[in-house]
Each structure stands twice: as C-alpha cells, then as structure tokens.
Amino acid sequence: MAAMEMGDHATFEQYLEKGSVTFSSGRIGIKRDGDDAALFVFSEHAVYAGAFTTNAFKSACVTSAMDRLRAQKKIKAVLITSGNANAGTGPAGRADTERLAAGVAGHVGCAADEVVVLHTGVIGVPLRAERLIGSLEGLCQLAASTPEKLVGAARAMMTTDTFPKVSARAFQVGDTSYTVWGVAKGAGMIHPKLATMLSVLVTDAPVSQRTLQRVLSRVVGQTFNRISVDGDTSPNDSVLLFSTGGARMEAGTAEFYGAVDETIFEDALKSVAQDLAHSIVRDGEGATKFLEIVVRGVQSEADAERIAETIATSPLVKTAFFGEDFNPGRIISAIGRAGVAVSFDRLRLTLGDQRVYDAGQFLVTAESDARRVMAMKEIPVVVELGAGELEIRYWTCDLTFDYVKINAEYTT
Amino acid sequence: MAAMEMGDHATFEQYLEKGSVTFSSGRIGIKRDGDDAALFVFSEHAVYAGAFTTNAFKSACVTSAMDRLRAQKKIKAVLITSGNANAGTGPAGRADTERLAAGVAGHVGCAADEVVVLHTGVIGVPLRAERLIGSLEGLCQLAASTPEKLVGAARAMMTTDTFPKVSARAFQVGDTSYTVWGVAKGAGMIHPKLATMLSVLVTDAPVSQRTLQRVLSRVVGQTFNRISVDGDTSPNDSVLLFSTGGARMEAGTAEFYGAVDETIFEDALKSVAQDLAHSIVRDGEGATKFLEIVVRGVQSEADAERIAETIATSPLVKTAFFGEDFNPGRIISAIGRAGVAVSFDRLRLTLGDQRVYDAGQFLVTAESDARRVMAMKEIPVVVELGAGELEIRYWTCDLTFDYVKINAEYTT
C-alpha cells in the first residue's frame, strides 16, 4: 500500500515550496516508543471549520476545539498527540489540553487559543501534560515544508494504523491554481483501546469560515460519515478543515466564490476526503476485503444510508466476506432489519457482477461465479430498491480473526 | 451444561403424564445428517399467541403463522424443520410451507390451517416439500408424551446450537396446579447461514387468546427481546405461546383470570422464557462470557434499552470481554453513542464489584481487581444514570475467534 495517494503531485510540491504550512513530528513522551506528536504550523493564521464526533461522551480536545470554532478563532497551529485520548479525565483533562496549546503557542508566536490540540489513544488515563511540555520546543523548531515532513506528521498521528494516510489535489479557479490536501488516521487502537478517527484538511484557496463549514459538512457527510469499520465511534473523532487563504481574504481580498467555484472546490475536497476515508477502511483493523456498498433507487438519502450502514455493520455479513462465503441471504436480512420500508418484490441485489436477488427471490449463482466474486479484494455490493432516483455509496471492510485478536489482546 | 433447566420437575412429569401434548422428532430429508424435524401435537386444539421477527424480510413460515394468528385459528400441531429457512423463496416457498402443514394435518386429523409450521436454516434455497412429505407419517406415528421425546424435539430444532433448550415451571391458581413449559433454539447457523431464534411455549392453564397475546408481548419484551448475540435478526425469528386449556375454556369453562392470576401466570411464563433466553446467550456462537447488563436510574424504558443494546452490540466491548481486557472506556463510549441524553457527571459504571466510572471520571482499579473481574464467566455490567427510578436487564455474550470461525467457514 502506497504511503501517499497524491493527485497532481507536481502542483502539490509547488504548494509546499511556498512554505505556507510547515510540518513536524517527534516524541514528546506519551507512547513508550516511536513518535507521538504531529505539528502543523500555518505561516499566516487560517480560518477553520470542523466536524466532530456525535458521541455524547467527548474528549477534552473535542470540547476545546469546538470552543475555538464557536469563537471563530483564527488558527496558527495544530498539535496532534497519539497514545492517550485524554477522554473521561474530567476538568484536569481539559486543563492538560490547554496547557499543550499554550506550550505550542509560546514557541510559534501566537495566543494559546489560536492553537488547536487533538488527542488519540487510550481512554480514561490522565495525560499529565506537565511532563510533555519540555519537548514542545524541539518539535516546533524542526518544522519544515517538505513531503517527508508531512508524511512524518501523518505517521506520528498513527496508533495501530499500518500506513500513514495523506492525499492532495490541485484545482483551478479562473486563472489561479489552488491546492487542497489532508492527513488522517483511522480505526487503530493503542494498546487495544478505542479507535479514533482524526483528519486535518487544508486549502490555500481564499474561502470564508462560513463557506468552509458548509462545504465541509456536505463533504464529511458523503465521505468520513459513509465508512464503517466496526460501527463504534470514539470520544475524539474530529475532521478539521483550514483555509490558509481565508484569513487574508477576510482582511480585504474578495472570496473567490461563485456557485461554480464552490463546486470546483467541493469536488477537490471531496476527492481528498474520499481518498483518506477509503485509506481508513483499507487499513481497518484486520481487514482483508474492501466493500463498496451502493444503494440506488431510493427517495430518501437517510433511508439509503440506514440500509448501507446496517449491511456495513452486520457481523454476519462481515464474517461471510472474510470467509469468502457467498451468502446473499445475510445481506437481504440486513436490509430487512434496517428499519426502512422496502418492497422486496422490487429489490435487486448484485454482488460483483452477479445478480443474486430479484423480484422476491434469490437467483441461482454458479459455484465458480460465486467463488470468483468472493475472491476479489474489492467487492461491489449493489442494492437497487426501484423506488426513486437517488444513489449513495458507503465503504466498509470485513470482520476477521485479526480484528478480534487486535481488540481482545490483554493490555499489559 | 445441562440439557434441561426445569423447575418443579415432579409437577412437570405429572403434566406430561396427562398426555395433553405429545412430541416427536426425526429426519425428513432436509439436513444431510441428523434429525431435522420436531413435532408437537396437542390432544385438544390450543389457542395461541405469537411474536415474530421485526425483520421486514420474512420467511414463508412467518407469514403463514401470522395468517393463522390473524384468523384466530385453534392449533392442533406444530412442525419445526431445521436446515432450510424457506426464506426468499417466493410463492413456491409459501406453497412448500402449506404442503407440510397439510401433510401433518392428514396424519393428526385436523385441517391444514390448524397446523403451524416453522423453519430454520439456510436462506434462499428452495425447500422442495414434495420430497419431505413421505416422512411425515412416521414422524406423526412416533409422537409420545415423555421428557425424552421432548428433549429429542428440542434437539431436532437445533442448527449449530450445542445443547437443546427446554424449561418448565409449575404454578398454582386457587387450588389448581398448572404448567408452563417451552423449548427454544438459538443463534446457531446451518452451514454458516443466518441465525434463527425459535421458541414454542405451552401452558395448560385456561387462558383466552387475547390474554395470551397480551402476556406474551410483555414477556417477550423483557426476555427474548433483551438478548443479543450479534445484533442480527433473521427472517424466521418466532415465539409462539399455546394454551391447551384455552380452547376448552372458550367452549364454556370460565377463564381463570383475575389480575392476580394473570400476574401468577405471567411470572411463571417469564421465568421459563428467561431461562430459554439465557440458554440462547450462553450457547451463542463461540461465546465464552455471559454478560448481564443492568441499566438503572432511568425515566424511559426505551432509553434504557437503547443504552443496553448499544453496549451489547459493540464489537469493541465484546472483543474486550473475550480478551479479558479491563476496558471501561469502550463501555462509556458505547453509552455515549446510544443516542440517549446522558449526564456523564451523574453516570456510574460498575464492572463486577468494581466501580470504574463516577462523576465524570474513570476511577483507578487495582490490576489484581481488574484481572479478577475479567476472569469471571458471568460478569455484571451495571450502568446507573441517576435520572429516574426504572431498571432493565439485558443479556449478551462476548465476540470471539470462534464466532468469526463459525460464520466465516466456507459452505462446501
């Protein structure tokens, strides 16, 4: 698996050469081994938008980032630490997050509330930021704007991810070329604790905070919210979108936007976010199969999502794919319990290139065809409801021995 | 594991001696090996109540049983076949179910719509009842009223269950002693296809159809609907409750009921249903732990169920228990994503005898205590919300290598 999937590579290198963002990574003392801190510093302050976990149990870093967003702070730097989620740690936990923000702020020259701090890792263990503060100076000093530094930062965010996740796209508005890029970490565990999905997305396009938020919400809804490894959500899940061109723009430059431009930007952002979301699924704990679930012919997007999610989180469906057991009955049953009105007489189900259910009945599939489809690494699952024009896509992986192993292993 | 959990054993044997129900089991040609048919014949017709799968994708046997219930048919016999679910088989599938009912009816002397037929097993494969009909005569002839015959019938219902599930209780109304007993099969697979939960419950108490249905709905809500092995539901899940005293009663004898008597009956039925439900969880595929989740201090039963179910279906929680990994963070996170308003400042979580979360923070648990609790085979998980007076209980098992193995194995 390649460490990076970057469209328009040359353009991205040009973007990095401008130096408007620098990256750093290193070890500040949370994990026993390896890098546990990633730093992103903007040369000018960036406006930002965010999408956060829907889990009512939120990490201190999420409430802190949400507070900055509510206050419409311009952001100078983002610090991501791995190894400790700083969740369920009470007021002391929030103080730890703010102490790290203040530490970074001192070295990059900004106010503490212009630094966003995110954590990932084990839940319910005090972070004790005081023992980490001393390492921040070195981390800040090493920041530079190279692809290697960026990949290093993406790697330092990882817990049990097996590869760093980076993606970038260039796009054109009028005569000007812009970039949108991002990093993410996925459903990995640190000493088998809760998974945390984190992503930082950045563009140099001059976009206002309000537009950023609107576009981000739509894009997250169609990418990061359409993936499932095991259906669990964490107290730390966060997606942040920064515009380094945004601050400048609000200071006088006009936002580049018309409706057409917004679409161009949104398409590029969606492409990056989808890359990262797919990487998270491909790197799902223990995963051996990548499943693209297409739900087509529906009137309501919410209904379509419910059907896709019920299939994607069914342990019976997921273990069947792991075992390469051709088992459409489990998928039809998952559709039946999704809580959506479905006409089974009109339903069609296709696995790979095999139509397996049509007009209220399962069709006979030749065993050689079944084996061929199940042996694929990437298997399309297409559900056609014949009740409308909408179509959505959802991505998941299989449920394997290794998933159980990774998550059952004793911590000591 | 004992094959039977029977309270009031002597009373139950007396009940069987009356011969008001006879049992039979045998092989009619669905499975490759072993018994695949269980028969229950009432000496007088029984009134009945039913609770069926909420899955919108329903087996032919479920729609057939629901039709009989709607028509308030009195029932003479119940045939349960294992090895083929007869689901997703279209109109031919329904005809197959009715053909089996007619076959039994011919041998036990009743109308075809006075026989209820249930199926469990693989989905989407034609049943071809014509090849099974010939074996029904022998099955009907062998029916007798002994505990061995009853256990044989409970065993013939099994797919990958590892033990037959039977339970009975006696109860007293005025001077008269009655019995309620039941059999069930659980979350097993036949050639790793979809699980099917089936239960047949019988009482000789004179209870009207309307009362039976009211009591059954309450009891199922607190027993079979409060267990989860993997969160999947099947097209075949059915719980049927028969009163062999009911028909007689409707023909003249008064229903024994006052409110007090209804409570006595309901308690006995609930005790039997809970026994069977617990047996299903203990025999859950690959299960090594039995978890009792208590949610206490809530105002809404629906909220409490949502919290319990989210914990019980979380792969992260279930793998942690399998690995004996003391991991309260995963439980708190599951509570957080249950979609219920929870005040984490008032929340308390106790695992075994260890309070692990209180007043917004995780408490420190000594490693020896954590190890001791996780080593237990039956682990209480107590969630206290401090927001009301209600309490509910919910039962589940862990998620293990064997679960994945059983459900991933290739069918051939």
Side-chain angles (χ1 to χ4, degrees):
Chain A
M1 183 76 63
M4 294 207 202
E5 300 185 45
M6 293 196 182
D8 313 286
H9 203 278
T11 319
F12 186 65
E13 297 235 325
Q14 278 169 20
Y15 165 81
L16 290 183
E17 279 163 19
K18 288 189 216 162
S20 60
V21 191
T22 56
F23 318 99
S24 181
S25 54
R27 189 171 135 62
I28 63 170
I30 301 172
K31 288 185 187 169
R32 229 172 272 174
D33 309 295
D35 287 354
D36 52 18
L39 182 71
F40 305 81
V41 183
F42 305 118
S43 61
E44 297 175 76
H45 283 63
V47 295
Y48 96 110
F52 301 98
T53 183
T54 54
N55 199 309
F57 174 61
K58 288 178 170 52
S59 160
C61 69
V62 168
T63 54
S64 170
M66 290 174 86
D67 286 348
R68 281 158 174 67
L69 188 57
R70 211 170 293 116
Q72 303 214 18
K73 289 289 170 193
K74 307 275 189 301
I75 301 301
K76 177 69 181 171
V78 181
L79 174 70
I80 303 181
T81 69
S82 61
N84 184 323
N86 197 16
T89 44
R94 175 63 186 262
D96 276 336
T97 298
E98 300 304 342
R99 209 167 293 150
L100 287 174
V104 169
H107 299 300
V108 302
C110 67
D113 61 2
E114 293 170 348
V115 177
V116 172
V117 178
L118 298 177
H119 311 291
T120 175
V122 51
I123 291 174
V125 175
L127 184 61
R128 298 193 288 122
E130 67 280 3
R131 76 204 156 99
L132 311 174
I133 294 289
S135 305
L136 294 177
E137 184 173 3
L139 187 72
C140 294
Q141 279 170 349
L142 288 171
S145 195
T146 67
E148 293 71 29
K149 285 277 182 185
L150 172 58
V151 173
R155 194 181 297 279
M157 296 164 63
M158 289 165 41
T159 48
T160 59
D161 297 61
T162 66
F163 58 90
K165 296 163 187 70
V166 185
S167 180
R169 294 284 181 283
F171 61 101
Q172 191 93 10
V173 176
D175 290 338
T176 314
S177 184
Y178 296 105
T179 303
V180 53
W181 60 270
V183 294
K185 74 163 294 287
M189 310 271 154
I190 175 74
H191 297 312
K193 303 293 177 179
L194 198 86
T196 309
M197 200 283 290
L198 295 179
S199 179
V200 171
L201 303 163
V202 180
T203 182
D204 56 351
V207 189
S208 69
Q209 201 280 329
R210 180 198 288 229
T211 309
L212 277 186
Q213 188 66 53
R214 184 174 62 237
V215 173
L216 180 65
S217 299
R218 283 199 298 256
V219 165
V220 166
Q222 294 173 34
T223 56
F224 294 112
N225 282 350
R226 293 255 177 90
I227 60 173
S228 175
V229 171
D230 55 17
D232 277 300
T233 60
S234 96
N236 294 53
D237 293 342
S238 301
V239 180
L240 306 182
L241 170 60
F242 297 88
S243 163
T244 53
R248 216 176 330 153
M249 183 269 305
E250 289 191 353
T253 316
E255 187 169 30
F256 65 49
Y257 269 117
V260 175
D261 305 334
E262 181 162 331
T263 305
I264 293 169
F265 168 55
E266 184 164 339
D267 285 349
L269 180 69
K270 190 173 158 186
S271 178
V272 167
Q274 194 168 288
D275 248 17
L276 294 171
H278 288 189
S279 292
I280 288 172
V281 172
R282 282 176 216 280
D283 199 18
E285 290 173 320
T288 70
K289 301 280 186 193
F290 178 82
L291 309 176
E292 177 169 76
I293 300 167
V294 180
V295 181
R296 173 181 299 161
V298 290
Q299 286 192 307
S300 143
E301 198 162 311
D303 283 356
E305 281 184 330
R306 217 167 299 139
I307 288 171
E309 189 184 328
T310 307
I311 297 170
T313 57
S314 161
L316 288 177
V317 170
K318 291 162 83 84
T319 48
F321 278 106
F322 169 54
E324 302 196 347
D325 174 23
F326 193 78
N327 204 325
R330 293 188 182 172
I331 298 172
I332 296 290
S333 290
I335 295 168
R337 70 177 171 84
V340 171
V342 169
S343 161
F344 284 95
D345 288 342
R346 265 185 300 187
L347 180 73
R348 288 173 171 187
L349 174 66
T350 307
L351 298 184
D353 57 2
Q354 296 295 304
R355 169 76 43 84
V356 295
Y357 188 93
D358 199 353
Q361 298 196 45
F362 290 91
L363 308 179
V364 174
T365 305
E367 205 170 308
S368 59
D369 287 327
R371 248 201 311 266
R372 180 175 47 74
V373 168
M374 296 314 286
M376 293 160 69
K377 285 292 151 206
E378 312 207 347
I379 307 179
V381 176
V382 181
V383 180
E384 294 171 279
L385 295 166
E389 295 303 312
L390 279 176
E391 168 179 314
I392 70 129
R393 276 154 204 272
Y394 200 104
W395 301 275
T396 192
C397 55
D398 54 349
L399 172 59
T400 69
F401 287 127
D402 279 353
Y403 176 87
V404 176
K405 185 165 190 299
I406 292 168
N407 289 300
E409 258 167 8
Y410 194 66
T411 40
T412 49
Chain B
M1 183 76 63
M4 294 206 202
E5 300 185 45
M6 293 195 182
D8 312 287
H9 203 277
T11 319
F12 185 64
E13 298 235 325
Q14 278 170 20
Y15 165 82
L16 290 184
E17 279 163 21
K18 288 187 216 162
S20 60
V21 191
T22 55
F23 318 99
S24 182
S25 55
R27 187 171 137 61
I28 62 171
I30 302 172
K31 289 186 189 169
R32 230 171 272 175
D33 309 295
D35 287 354
D36 52 19
L39 181 71
F40 306 82
V41 183
F42 306 118
S43 62
E44 297 175 76
H45 283 64
V47 295
Y48 95 110
F52 300 97
T53 184
T54 54
N55 198 308
F57 174 62
K58 290 178 169 50
S59 160
C61 68
V62 168
T63 54
S64 169
M66 291 174 86
D67 285 349
R68 283 158 173 67
L69 188 58
R70 210 170 295 117
Q72 302 215 16
K73 290 289 169 193
K74 307 276 188 302
I75 301 301
K76 177 69 180 172
V78 180
L79 174 70
I80 302 180
T81 69
S82 60
N84 184 323
N86 197 16
T89 45
R94 175 64 184 264
D96 277 335
T97 298
E98 300 303 342
R99 209 167 291 150
L100 287 174
V104 169
H107 300 300
V108 302
C110 67
D113 61 3
E114 294 170 345
V115 178
V116 171
V117 178
L118 298 177
H119 310 290
T120 175
V122 52
I123 291 173
V125 176
L127 183 60
R128 297 192 287 124
E130 68 280 2
R131 74 203 159 101
L132 311 174
I133 294 289
S135 304
L136 293 176
E137 183 173 5
L139 186 74
C140 294
Q141 280 171 349
L142 288 171
S145 195
T146 66
E148 293 70 29
K149 285 276 182 184
L150 172 57
V151 173
R155 195 182 296 279
M157 295 163 64
M158 290 165 39
T159 47
T160 59
D161 297 61
T162 66
F163 58 91
K165 295 163 187 72
V166 185
S167 179
R169 295 283 182 283
F171 61 100
Q172 191 93 11
V173 175
D175 290 337
T176 315
S177 184
Y178 297 105
T179 303
V180 55
W181 60 272
V183 294
K185 73 163 294 285
M189 310 270 155
I190 176 73
H191 297 310
K193 301 294 176 176
L194 197 86
T196 309
M197 201 282 291
L198 295 180
S199 178
V200 170
L201 303 162
V202 180
T203 183
D204 57 350
V207 189
S208 69
Q209 202 278 329
R210 178 198 291 229
T211 310
L212 278 186
Q213 188 66 52
R214 184 175 62 238
V215 173
L216 180 65
S217 298
R218 282 199 299 255
V219 165
V220 167
Q222 293 174 35
T223 56
F224 294 111
N225 282 350
R226 292 255 176 90
I227 59 174
S228 174
V229 170
D230 57 17
D232 277 299
T233 59
S234 95
N236 294 51
D237 293 342
S238 300
V239 181
L240 306 182
L241 170 59
F242 297 88
S243 163
T244 54
R248 214 177 331 153
M249 184 270 304
E250 290 191 353
T253 317
E255 187 170 30
F256 66 49
Y257 269 116
V260 173
D261 306 333
E262 181 163 331
T263 304
I264 293 170
F265 169 54
E266 183 164 340
D267 285 349
L269 180 69
K270 189 173 158 185
S271 177
V272 167
Q274 194 168 287
D275 249 17
L276 294 171
H278 288 190
S279 292
I280 289 173
V281 172
R282 282 177 217 282
D283 199 18
E285 290 173 321
T288 71
K289 302 280 186 192
F290 179 81
L291 308 176
E292 177 169 76
I293 300 167
V294 181
V295 180
R296 173 180 297 161
V298 289
Q299 287 192 307
S300 143
E301 198 163 310
D303 283 356
E305 282 185 331
R306 216 165 300 138
I307 288 171
E309 190 184 328
T310 308
I311 296 170
T313 56
S314 160
L316 288 176
V317 170
K318 291 161 85 82
T319 47
F321 277 106
F322 169 55
E324 302 197 347
D325 174 22
F326 193 78
N327 204 324
R330 293 187 182 173
I331 299 172
I332 296 290
S333 290
I335 296 168
R337 71 178 170 85
V340 171
V342 170
S343 161
F344 283 95
D345 288 341
R346 265 185 300 186
L347 179 74
R348 288 174 170 186
L349 175 66
T350 307
L351 298 184
D353 58 2
Q354 297 294 305
R355 169 77 43 84
V356 295
Y357 188 92
D358 199 354
Q361 296 196 46
F362 289 91
L363 309 179
V364 174
T365 304
E367 205 170 308
S368 59
D369 288 327
R371 249 200 311 265
R372 179 175 47 75
V373 167
M374 297 312 287
M376 294 160 69
K377 284 292 150 207
E378 310 207 348
I379 307 179
V381 175
V382 182
V383 180
E384 295 171 279
L385 294 166
E389 295 301 313
L390 280 177
E391 168 179 313
I392 70 128
R393 276 154 205 273
Y394 200 106
W395 302 277
T396 193
C397 56
D398 54 349
L399 173 58
T400 70
F401 286 127
D402 279 354
Y403 177 87
V404 176
K405 184 164 191 302
I406 292 167
N407 289 299
E409 257 166 12
Y410 194 66
T411 40
T412 49

